Amino acid sequence: MRITSLTNPRVKHVVALRDKRRRDEDGLMLVEGFDPLSLALDCGVRPQTVFICPELFKPAHSPNAHDNLQWRVRDTGAELIETTRPVFEKMAYRDGPDGWLGIVKRPDFSLSRLTPARSRTPLYLVVEAVEKPGNLGAMLRTCDAAGVDAFLFCDPKADLTNPNVVRASQGALFSVPVAQCTSAEAIAWLRERGIRIVATTPNPLRGQLPASYTQFNFAPPCAIAVGEEKYGLSQFWLDQADAAVRIPMFGRINSLNVATSAALVIYEAIKQRGMV
């Protein structure tokens, strides 16, 4: 099948899935790009439909890579549809698309679906009320790279199925165990498993300045908690935290990007555990 018309109903449906309400109604989401789609397939995702535009395939990938991905898509039973360049560019969410776009079922992000941690000393990332999809995606990508056991997204202000989250995560949304829940649910879940909650904040906690993140002991099971871009962690999380760490600042600004902060602390934790 090949689509050449910009007004084709299939094209309109893809465009409509940019809207959160439509994604929620249909239980579907978009995965755009060769690498994110490849990783999704590696993680067992079975697309409903995959649209391709060979004219847009990037030279960074060999011709065999594109052929192989098409065979992998067909093996899942998904519908593979070729389009013209104008049609694909209308459907694409990002500038400079690479000719790959899939429609997949929305994952189950319920807390009860999380599987037991892979290690005896689990490391979790708790993300409270972050609202920028790019930051969410970057943190998911870090979690995948660092082998974090799960990503808990609490009291969300952004949608995990936003195409920009998938793009920024390079598909790590599918490779990292992810749960979306309230802060109270996350804390109860962590307490039940004996996980120490470590807040990231530059401010005093219970009258004491937090330790530098490089001086804190991350060896025991712990959950690193980061908060909203503008305000950081809420008082609720600060009150519940077992400990707090800070990232020393030597310039005139008073905060780092939340995704950068999370990456620094996560990699310090795995360094201490002898993983790097």
Side-chain angles (χ1 to χ4, degrees), residues 120-174:
R120 293 184 180 180
T121 55
L123 178 64
Y124 299 103
L125 180 64
V126 174
V127 178
E128 182 200 24
V130 166
E131 56 186 350
K132 294 183 179 179
N135 283 333
L136 285 173
M139 287 187 283
L140 283 162
R141 195 169 176 176
T142 296
C143 286
D144 176 274
V148 170
D149 290 281
F151 179 102
L152 277 61
F153 189 29
C154 305
D155 304 328
K157 291 186 177 180
D159 180 24
L160 286 170
T161 65
N162 185 304
N164 276 331
V165 173
V166 180
R167 176 175 65 177
S169 77
Q170 284 293 292
L173 177 68
F174 303 105

Side-chain angles (χ1 to χ4, degrees), residues 30 44 102 125 173 189 194-195 207 247 263 268 273 275:
L30 301 174
L125 180 64
L173 177 68
W189 190 88
I195 307 299
I247 298 172
E268 175 61 27
R273 295 171 177 210
M275 297 171 65

